Amino acid sequence: MNAEDLDRKFDDGEDVLEYFDLSTLRRPGLEPQAIELTFPQWMVAALDKEAQRLGIQREAIIKLWLAERLDANSVSGV
């Protein structure tokens, strides 16, 4: 199928996902990158308490708070 036919199907509201190999889909800049952080014990305890209150993992609360801070400073996506 050529690009024009695909565009036409999409414009007509047809589902065109079957024409794509989603296993090779990439989201540039959103690939996870592992880092190591060291926190004092009181901070880990506070993080765990808040994570438990919210029903999420410690890593999730750290990511959430960092994302909020970066978004507030308009540096996300850098």
Side-chain angles (χ1 to χ4, degrees):
M1 170 178 301
N2 64 35
E4 292 169 353
D5 291 339
L6 184 65
D7 285 344
R8 190 174 308 105
K9 286 181 178 288
F10 179 79
D11 291 341
D12 290 342
E14 294 184 41
D15 183 9
V16 295
L17 286 179
E18 67 184 85
Y19 301 104
F20 296 93
D21 181 3
L22 300 181
S23 69
T24 61
L25 185 65
R26 299 289 178 257
R27 298 177 69 189
L30 296 179
E31 298 88 358
Q33 180 177 349
I35 63 168
E36 183 178 329
L37 299 172
T38 304
F39 295 107
Q41 289 179 342
W42 70 266
M43 196 177 288
V44 173
L47 287 166
D48 287 344
K49 184 177 179 181
E50 184 65 9
Q52 183 177 15
R53 185 183 75 78
L54 296 173
I56 60 177
Q57 299 281 328
R58 179 193 304 153
E59 182 177 335
I61 193 72
I62 294 169
K63 288 179 182 180
L64 174 67
W65 286 351
L66 284 173
E68 288 174 352
R69 182 62 182 256
L70 292 170
D71 188 49
N73 291 333
S74 299
V75 293
S76 59
V78 173

